[in-house]
Amino acid sequence: MKKIALQISPEAKAAYFSDFIKVAKKELLAVVGDITVNHINKGSLNFFELEIKHEDFERLLKLSFVQGIYAIDSELLQPLDITADFPLHDDFIFGSKFKGKTNERLTQMLINVGLATINAKPEQGISLLDPMCGRATTLLWAMQYGIKARGIEQDPKALEDIHRNLKKWTKLHRQKHKISDGFIGGSKKNGKFIDFTSADTGMRVVNGDARNTNHIFKKEKFDLLISDLPYGVQHFTTDKTRNPLSVIKQCIDAWKSCLKKRGAIVLAFNSNNPKRNALIEVFESNGFQTMSFSAPHRMSESIIRDVIIFKLKGTI
Ligand SMILES: C[S@@+](CC[C@H](N)C(=O)[O-])C[C@H]1O[C@@H](n2cnc3c(N)ncnc32)[C@H](O)[C@@H]1O
């Protein structure tokens, strides 16, 4: 075991606002298990002190809030010369800016807690679906982890933007890749898709409705279904209500049939609308169990973002 300090990145503050220490600690404990973690300040810098095995360093570096790892030698912090190994340039995830983008670090956290929930490593051939994927922030993160990614988005303009951004970043960073697009089954009646493969991993985005998930990806089952639900402010849901609950109710059977038996659903949502209990009620009355993880953080007067995780009943 090594005594180390994890430096908490200023990006965590941008993602989790004044709750950043609490949220970061929740993510850390979800990933490494229930160990003793001390929060310390040095000037304006924030650290977590903990003892951990060397082989866990790689996982720690991929936590959404970690800027660097230090070995602790008596009172001195010695920065370790290690970085997280990701196949795509950062710009694929952080470079494109658009209205309604899910914070990149929050998205990374959703993947980390999802993997921890199913007790899996990306190299075990994990697949992920974001059924309301916007401009593919979750899917690109999944590719960074070597996870096969699939997405559905109702807005056709989002697919055009994804295509344009992929072309821009692959060209700028000379990233070897393949991009193709077309209509599912070759018919214009079906949704348009974009396929992007690079660095032994890939994603497919389909223009369609999350309520038809089981038809759009009828031959696939997923380990993780991860999404940042529409908040109703930037992004209306399909039936133009501000509350995504009615759409979720219509999606739930389709999502359930696409989830592997030991898979997990990880959702970020504005807990003012729908309330956490209302989401729990919908999922639990449809054969799911709620995991204990939560990470509430106030984003604005009207949005307290939280994270909720479900597994199928009888699989915990
Ligand atoms: C909070 S945004 C997700 C943003 C995304 N994570 C990103 O960073 O680009 C929610 C997305 O859900 C989409 N959406 C809402 N209802 C949908 C539905 N029924 N089917 C597919 N997409 C839907 C919205 O168009 C919006 O892009």
Side-chain angles (χ1 to χ4, degrees), residues 98 100-102 130-138 152-155 208-211 228-231 235-238 247:
F98 48 87
K101 185 175 192 180
T102 306
D130 182 345
M132 297 182 175
C133 71
R135 284 159 178 77
T137 312
T138 320
I152 301 172
E153 170 55 47
Q154 66 177 5
D155 178 5
D209 191 322
R211 292 175 290 192
D228 179 28
L229 297 180
Y231 297 170
H235 292 281
F236 284 93
T237 51
T238 325
V247 181

Side-chain angles (χ1 to χ4, degrees), residues 86 93 104 107-108 111 137-145:
F86 290 127
I93 295 185
E104 300 88 346
T107 309
Q108 185 182 19
I111 295 182
T137 312
T138 320
L139 311 185
L140 289 161
W141 259 127
M143 284 184 68
Q144 289 291 50
Y145 279 72

Side-chain angles (χ1 to χ4, degrees), residues 31 59 111-127 145 147 223-224 262-263 311:
V31 168
R59 269 200 306 167
I111 295 182
N112 288 333
V113 297
L115 285 170
T117 301
I118 60 170
N119 198 13
K121 294 194 175 124
E123 56 271 23
Q124 292 168 309
I126 300 299
S127 57
Y145 279 72
I147 293 173
D223 299 282
L224 292 172
R262 306 219 162 261
K311 289 198 79 185

Side-chain angles (χ1 to χ4, degrees), residues 156-302:
K157 172 94 179 31
L159 270 81
E160 289 167 22
D161 291 348
I162 293 169
H163 204 159
R164 200 181 43 254
N165 288 329
L166 288 173
K167 284 199 153 173
K168 177 165 80 182
W169 301 126
T170 45
K171 187 170 174 201
L172 199 70
H173 299 299
R174 296 167 188 268
Q175 180 85 30
K176 275 198 180 160
H177 71 285
K178 246 170 109 177
I179 303 180
S180 55
D181 60 1
F183 292 91
I184 305 248
S187 164
K188 279 198 175 174
K189 276 191 304 186
N190 298 332
K192 197 170 179 187
F193 70 84
I194 301 171
D195 282 343
F196 173 56
T197 49
S198 185
D200 294 331
T201 173
M203 69 182 209
R204 166 170 281 204
V205 191
V206 176
N207 178 215
D209 191 322
R211 292 175 290 192
N212 300 330
T213 299
N214 52 336
H215 299 296
I216 295 170
F217 292 113
K218 53 177 170 253
K219 293 194 184 127
E220 296 187 60
K221 290 224 181 235
F222 299 92
D223 299 282
L224 292 172
L225 196 150
I226 295 185
S227 208
D228 179 28
L229 297 180
Y231 297 170
V233 181
Q234 302 275 16
H235 292 281
F236 284 93
T237 51
T238 325
D239 61 2
K240 305 285 181 219
T241 62
R242 279 183 179 267
N243 189 337
L245 202 59
S246 66
V247 181
I248 297 296
K249 283 181 187 161
Q250 296 167 55
C251 289
I252 204 158
D253 280 344
W255 290 1
K256 194 173 168 185
S257 68
C258 288
L259 193 66
K260 286 190 187 166
K261 192 166 170 233
R262 306 219 162 261
I265 296 186
V266 183
L267 302 173
F269 66 107
N270 174 13
S271 64
N272 281 330
N273 190 12
K275 297 279 182 215
R276 190 177 177 88
N277 277 343
L279 257 186
I280 291 176
E281 202 183 304
V282 169
F283 275 88
E284 294 199 348
S285 59
N286 281 282
F288 287 90
Q289 263 174 286
T290 313
M291 307 297 288
S292 60
F293 187 85
S294 68
H297 48 284
R298 179 174 286 284
M299 290 175 66
S300 66
E301 221 174 291
S302 59

